[in-house]
Amino acid sequence: MQAFLLRAAFDRIAARLPAAAPNLDVVVLEPDGGLTLNGATFDPADLEPEIWWLSLEAFGAQRREYFGRLRDSHRPGWVQTVFAGVEHPSFKPLAREGLKVTNSSAQAPAIAEYVAIHALSLLHPIAEQARHQEAHQWTPVDFREVGQSRWLIVGFGNIGREIAARAKAFGAHVGVVRRSPGGEANIDAVCTIKDLPSRLPDADVVVLACALNDETRDLADAEFFAAMKPGSILINIGRGGLLDEDALRVALDADKPAHAVLDVFKTEPLPADSWIWDHPKIRVTPHASNRGALTGSRGEALFLENLGRYVRGEPLLNPVNPADIGVG
């Protein structure tokens, strides 16, 4: 069995590969474009990998070559991607009959922490307390406890589950929007997208954590914002296309929502002249909610776990629905 990895990705896991797949031949794409196997030059005519790892390096300088070989490959069996979402058009080569695709849950804990920290800092009157300190005023401020808040998480994949667990740890009421109405741990209510208008008016924190597709594009539009609770918080860590940015600008003037935390945008990088940068009710981060210190090591561990499962013929973790690939 043959796998195809880029040099940097291979070097990070080389010592652990034998334990996961003892008889695996790992062909390495070198920085100069050459191929090697066990340190020796490898003939490109013999390259027929079943296993591909779309590590971060696969989206860098050698992206065209790596994706090109994947597109032209005759017998790919399984592809592991470093990202959670696969709706971007660049993933279309993965929508092939018989090809197993798994995405990453490695970033989920980091993104969930990002969401929780921003939400908590906005729910608690930190800014008001700071103003009193600056004015040297001994003025106690009452505050609503997190356990009194209601959260609505739109999208309940690995990231949504991690967010729910953190909100629930503070005693918050957690509702989720998902394709199917089945319940799970850490959630109090489940609905589908068609139920959003009736759920938004009660939500103190609304988190967009779903994939981008025809059903969710511009989901957060003028009608969506009109239904939100005055004083609520909107956090988007899903995709920029989920949100109508012009409609948000109007909605913020009505305090519906009162605050927006945006990590993703329709145009990235966010143009320097965008109004979003300077809006007093918006927090901007540059698509960086996944950049926890442990995200990379979790991603490597996930690839190795799935690698072992693949060679043993066992079910893989995080399988992707082919209908979701390359549709964004």
Side-chain angles (χ1 to χ4, degrees), residues 40-305:
T41 300
F42 185 80
D43 187 347
D46 295 327
L47 183 67
E48 293 187 352
E50 283 188 50
I51 297 167
W52 302 70
W53 185 19
L54 298 182
S55 59
L56 281 176
E57 294 80 12
F59 298 89
Q62 293 181 288
R63 174 175 184 159
R64 180 173 297 181
E65 182 174 1
Y66 194 81
F67 269 83
R69 290 185 180 275
L70 175 56
R71 183 190 62 244
D72 298 336
S73 175
H74 298 297
R75 49 170 297 181
W78 162 54
V79 176
Q80 171 78 48
T81 174
V82 70
F83 296 122
V86 294
E87 67 272 16
H88 193 275
S90 64
F91 286 105
K92 283 184 178 180
L94 306 186
R96 298 172 57 169
E97 185 176 355
L99 177 59
K100 297 178 180 179
V101 179
T102 53
N103 66 0
S104 179
S105 55
Q107 58 275 75
I111 294 176
E113 285 191 15
Y114 169 98
V115 169
I117 289 168
H118 278 284
L120 296 177
S121 70
L122 290 168
L123 287 169
H124 195 83
I126 293 174
E128 185 177 356
Q129 292 166 341
R131 288 193 294 271
H132 291 313
Q133 178 180 349
E134 186 177 1
H136 297 192
Q137 295 174 339
W138 189 265
T139 307
V141 180
D142 294 335
F143 57 88
R144 184 183 182 190
E145 297 179 16
V146 180
Q148 297 174 281
S149 65
R150 300 176 72 90
W151 294 45
L152 184 63
I153 304 170
V154 184
F156 202 60
N158 292 312
I159 295 170
R161 290 183 178 88
E162 293 285 350
I163 295 169
R166 284 154 179 77
K168 204 62 189 168
F170 283 91
H173 180 282
V174 177
V176 302
V177 180
R178 59 186 300 184
R179 288 174 175 171
S180 58
E184 293 192 32
N186 295 320
I187 59 176
D188 300 292
V190 183
C191 69
T192 59
I193 284 182
K194 65 181 179 60
D195 302 312
L196 266 176
S198 65
R199 301 302 177 100
L200 286 168
D202 296 325
D204 299 291
V205 180
V206 178
V207 183
L208 302 181
C210 56
L212 178 65
N213 52 46
D214 290 340
E215 185 180 24
T216 60
R217 193 178 310 279
D218 284 332
L219 175 67
D221 58 9
E223 184 178 355
F224 181 103
F225 296 128
M228 289 187 73
K229 182 179 183 178
S232 58
I233 301 164
L234 175 73
I235 303 177
N236 186 11
I237 47 80
R239 288 290 183 266
L242 298 173
L243 187 149
D244 182 333
E245 294 171 353
D246 291 330
L248 173 63
R249 188 176 193 174
V250 175
L252 287 167
D253 290 339
D255 269 358
K256 299 173 69 175
H259 304 279
V261 180
L262 307 180
D263 187 53
V264 288
F265 305 87
K266 285 190 172 178
T267 301
E268 295 185 2
L270 185 66
D273 60 354
S274 171
W275 63 271
I276 294 174
W277 284 107
D278 299 312
H279 199 289
K281 295 182 178 181
I282 296 180
R283 294 180 180 178
V284 172
T285 54
H287 207 142
S289 60
N290 65 336
R291 296 178 70 87
L294 299 177
T295 296
S297 60
R298 280 190 297 264
E300 294 164 11
L302 175 61
F303 173 73
L304 290 166
E305 172 64 24

